Amino acid sequence: MNILLWILQFLLGALFIFAGVMKFVVPIQEMTKGMKVPIPGSFLLFIGAVEILGGLGLVLPSLLKIKPGLTPLAAIGLAIIMIGAVVVTVAGGDVAPALIPLVIGLLCIFIAYGRWRMKPVG
């Protein structure tokens, strides 16, 4: 179980860091161009910063064994972000694409539960 949690932490950490960095690299007009529900550019930048910090929070506290209790908190925070992504996607009328952030959010919840109850890092 511990190996599975580590693999998920690294993969989701990389995913969120990549997604967060892309929000700073891609122009805001291009990001919001195809959105059916308009989201302000400053909010997208905030979400990008949260994704970067959350992605780092999934891996670094447990890896360095410095405040490893922050890992499940980062996972819960990222799950909340993914719930928002599901809501915005469904509000735009697209149900099928909402499955991706739903699954990612569920994996974040699994990491939080795993690191809090099943296999906490010493």
Side-chain angles (χ1 to χ4, degrees), residues 83-100:
I83 290 170
V86 169
V87 169
V88 168
T89 306
V90 170
D94 297 327
V95 177
L99 292 176
I100 294 171

PDB file of all heavy atoms in Angstrom, residues 83-100:
ATOM      1  N   ILE A  83     -13.119  19.296  -7.104  1.00  0.00           N
ATOM      2  CA  ILE A  83     -14.581  19.400  -7.000  1.00  0.00           C
ATOM      3  C   ILE A  83     -15.047  20.645  -7.727  1.00  0.00           C
ATOM      4  O   ILE A  83     -16.037  20.624  -8.465  1.00  0.00           O
ATOM      5  CB  ILE A  83     -15.021  19.411  -5.519  1.00  0.00           C
ATOM      6  CG1 ILE A  83     -14.795  18.033  -4.900  1.00  0.00           C
ATOM      7  CG2 ILE A  83     -16.484  19.819  -5.392  1.00  0.00           C
ATOM      8  CD1 ILE A  83     -14.957  18.002  -3.388  1.00  0.00           C
ATOM      9  N   GLY A  84     -14.325  21.750  -7.553  1.00  0.00           N
ATOM     10  CA  GLY A  84     -14.655  22.971  -8.284  1.00  0.00           C
ATOM     11  C   GLY A  84     -14.538  22.789  -9.781  1.00  0.00           C
ATOM     12  O   GLY A  84     -15.369  23.277 -10.551  1.00  0.00           O
ATOM     13  N   ALA A  85     -13.523  22.051 -10.219  1.00  0.00           N
ATOM     14  CA  ALA A  85     -13.354  21.800 -11.654  1.00  0.00           C
ATOM     15  C   ALA A  85     -14.512  20.971 -12.201  1.00  0.00           C
ATOM     16  O   ALA A  85     -14.998  21.221 -13.305  1.00  0.00           O
ATOM     17  CB  ALA A  85     -12.029  21.089 -11.908  1.00  0.00           C
ATOM     18  N   VAL A  86     -14.971  19.996 -11.421  1.00  0.00           N
ATOM     19  CA  VAL A  86     -16.120  19.189 -11.850  1.00  0.00           C
ATOM     20  C   VAL A  86     -17.365  20.058 -11.960  1.00  0.00           C
ATOM     21  O   VAL A  86     -18.101  19.991 -12.956  1.00  0.00           O
ATOM     22  CB  VAL A  86     -16.356  18.009 -10.871  1.00  0.00           C
ATOM     23  CG1 VAL A  86     -17.687  17.329 -11.147  1.00  0.00           C
ATOM     24  CG2 VAL A  86     -15.220  17.011 -10.957  1.00  0.00           C
ATOM     25  N   VAL A  87     -17.596  20.905 -10.972  1.00  0.00           N
ATOM     26  CA  VAL A  87     -18.785  21.763 -10.982  1.00  0.00           C
ATOM     27  C   VAL A  87     -18.761  22.722 -12.163  1.00  0.00           C
ATOM     28  O   VAL A  87     -19.766  22.885 -12.864  1.00  0.00           O
ATOM     29  CB  VAL A  87     -18.898  22.533  -9.642  1.00  0.00           C
ATOM     30  CG1 VAL A  87     -19.943  23.619  -9.710  1.00  0.00           C
ATOM     31  CG2 VAL A  87     -19.195  21.566  -8.506  1.00  0.00           C
ATOM     32  N   VAL A  88     -17.619  23.343 -12.424  1.00  0.00           N
ATOM     33  CA  VAL A  88     -17.523  24.292 -13.535  1.00  0.00           C
ATOM     34  C   VAL A  88     -17.706  23.577 -14.873  1.00  0.00           C
ATOM     35  O   VAL A  88     -18.372  24.086 -15.776  1.00  0.00           O
ATOM     36  CB  VAL A  88     -16.170  25.053 -13.484  1.00  0.00           C
ATOM     37  CG1 VAL A  88     -15.914  25.812 -14.763  1.00  0.00           C
ATOM     38  CG2 VAL A  88     -16.148  25.988 -12.297  1.00  0.00           C
ATOM     39  N   THR A  89     -17.141  22.382 -14.992  1.00  0.00           N
ATOM     40  CA  THR A  89     -17.273  21.633 -16.244  1.00  0.00           C
ATOM     41  C   THR A  89     -18.714  21.209 -16.487  1.00  0.00           C
ATOM     42  O   THR A  89     -19.228  21.343 -17.605  1.00  0.00           O
ATOM     43  CB  THR A  89     -16.351  20.396 -16.227  1.00  0.00           C
ATOM     44  OG1 THR A  89     -15.016  20.821 -15.947  1.00  0.00           O
ATOM     45  CG2 THR A  89     -16.375  19.675 -17.561  1.00  0.00           C
ATOM     46  N   VAL A  90     -19.377  20.718 -15.454  1.00  0.00           N
ATOM     47  CA  VAL A  90     -20.775  20.300 -15.602  1.00  0.00           C
ATOM     48  C   VAL A  90     -21.670  21.514 -15.838  1.00  0.00           C
ATOM     49  O   VAL A  90     -22.618  21.455 -16.631  1.00  0.00           O
ATOM     50  CB  VAL A  90     -21.236  19.487 -14.372  1.00  0.00           C
ATOM     51  CG1 VAL A  90     -22.736  19.251 -14.386  1.00  0.00           C
ATOM     52  CG2 VAL A  90     -20.496  18.165 -14.314  1.00  0.00           C
ATOM     53  N   ALA A  91     -21.373  22.646 -15.197  1.00  0.00           N
ATOM     54  CA  ALA A  91     -22.170  23.864 -15.400  1.00  0.00           C
ATOM     55  C   ALA A  91     -22.053  24.366 -16.832  1.00  0.00           C
ATOM     56  O   ALA A  91     -22.982  25.007 -17.341  1.00  0.00           O
ATOM     57  CB  ALA A  91     -21.715  24.954 -14.431  1.00  0.00           C
ATOM     58  N   GLY A  92     -20.932  24.058 -17.478  1.00  0.00           N
ATOM     59  CA  GLY A  92     -20.759  24.441 -18.870  1.00  0.00           C
ATOM     60  C   GLY A  92     -21.480  23.516 -19.837  1.00  0.00           C
ATOM     61  O   GLY A  92     -21.467  23.732 -21.039  1.00  0.00           O
ATOM     62  N   GLY A  93     -22.135  22.478 -19.307  1.00  0.00           N
ATOM     63  CA  GLY A  93     -22.905  21.576 -20.145  1.00  0.00           C
ATOM     64  C   GLY A  93     -22.159  20.342 -20.598  1.00  0.00           C
ATOM     65  O   GLY A  93     -22.685  19.535 -21.345  1.00  0.00           O
ATOM     66  N   ASP A  94     -20.933  20.164 -20.143  1.00  0.00           N
ATOM     67  CA  ASP A  94     -20.128  19.008 -20.537  1.00  0.00           C
ATOM     68  C   ASP A  94     -20.024  18.039 -19.362  1.00  0.00           C
ATOM     69  O   ASP A  94     -19.362  18.329 -18.368  1.00  0.00           O
ATOM     70  CB  ASP A  94     -18.722  19.446 -20.959  1.00  0.00           C
ATOM     71  CG  ASP A  94     -18.744  20.352 -22.171  1.00  0.00           C
ATOM     72  OD1 ASP A  94     -19.631  20.165 -23.010  1.00  0.00           O
ATOM     73  OD2 ASP A  94     -17.870  21.231 -22.267  1.00  0.00           O
ATOM     74  N   VAL A  95     -20.669  16.892 -19.486  1.00  0.00           N
ATOM     75  CA  VAL A  95     -20.648  15.922 -18.396  1.00  0.00           C
ATOM     76  C   VAL A  95     -19.475  14.957 -18.541  1.00  0.00           C
ATOM     77  O   VAL A  95     -18.780  14.673 -17.568  1.00  0.00           O
ATOM     78  CB  VAL A  95     -21.987  15.146 -18.335  1.00  0.00           C
ATOM     79  CG1 VAL A  95     -21.955  14.090 -17.256  1.00  0.00           C
ATOM     80  CG2 VAL A  95     -23.137  16.116 -18.100  1.00  0.00           C
ATOM     81  N   ALA A  96     -19.224  14.459 -19.722  1.00  0.00           N
ATOM     82  CA  ALA A  96     -18.155  13.470 -19.918  1.00  0.00           C
ATOM     83  C   ALA A  96     -16.765  14.007 -19.535  1.00  0.00           C
ATOM     84  O   ALA A  96     -16.011  13.307 -18.851  1.00  0.00           O
ATOM     85  CB  ALA A  96     -18.165  12.959 -21.345  1.00  0.00           C
ATOM     86  N   PRO A  97     -16.390  15.235 -19.943  1.00  0.00           N
ATOM     87  CA  PRO A  97     -15.061  15.727 -19.541  1.00  0.00           C
ATOM     88  C   PRO A  97     -14.922  15.957 -18.042  1.00  0.00           C
ATOM     89  O   PRO A  97     -13.816  16.054 -17.533  1.00  0.00           O
ATOM     90  CB  PRO A  97     -14.914  17.053 -20.288  1.00  0.00           C
ATOM     91  CG  PRO A  97     -15.871  16.986 -21.404  1.00  0.00           C
ATOM     92  CD  PRO A  97     -16.995  16.121 -20.936  1.00  0.00           C
ATOM     93  N   ALA A  98     -16.041  16.003 -17.321  1.00  0.00           N
ATOM     94  CA  ALA A  98     -15.974  16.197 -15.874  1.00  0.00           C
ATOM     95  C   ALA A  98     -15.496  14.944 -15.156  1.00  0.00           C
ATOM     96  O   ALA A  98     -15.152  15.004 -13.968  1.00  0.00           O
ATOM     97  CB  ALA A  98     -17.347  16.616 -15.340  1.00  0.00           C
ATOM     98  N   LEU A  99     -15.459  13.823 -15.858  1.00  0.00           N
ATOM     99  CA  LEU A  99     -15.005  12.587 -15.217  1.00  0.00           C
ATOM    100  C   LEU A  99     -13.514  12.624 -14.884  1.00  0.00           C
ATOM    101  O   LEU A  99     -13.083  12.017 -13.906  1.00  0.00           O
ATOM    102  CB  LEU A  99     -15.301  11.391 -16.121  1.00  0.00           C
ATOM    103  CG  LEU A  99     -16.782  11.051 -16.301  1.00  0.00           C
ATOM    104  CD1 LEU A  99     -16.943   9.919 -17.297  1.00  0.00           C
ATOM    105  CD2 LEU A  99     -17.411  10.704 -14.976  1.00  0.00           C
ATOM    106  N   ILE A 100     -12.736  13.346 -15.684  1.00  0.00           N
ATOM    107  CA  ILE A 100     -11.290  13.402 -15.437  1.00  0.00           C
ATOM    108  C   ILE A 100     -10.985  14.098 -14.108  1.00  0.00           C
ATOM    109  O   ILE A 100     -10.305  13.519 -13.252  1.00  0.00           O
ATOM    110  CB  ILE A 100     -10.554  14.055 -16.622  1.00  0.00           C
ATOM    111  CG1 ILE A 100     -10.686  13.164 -17.857  1.00  0.00           C
ATOM    112  CG2 ILE A 100      -9.080  14.298 -16.280  1.00  0.00           C
ATOM    113  CD1 ILE A 100     -10.199  13.792 -19.128  1.00  0.00           C
TER     114      ILE A 100
END
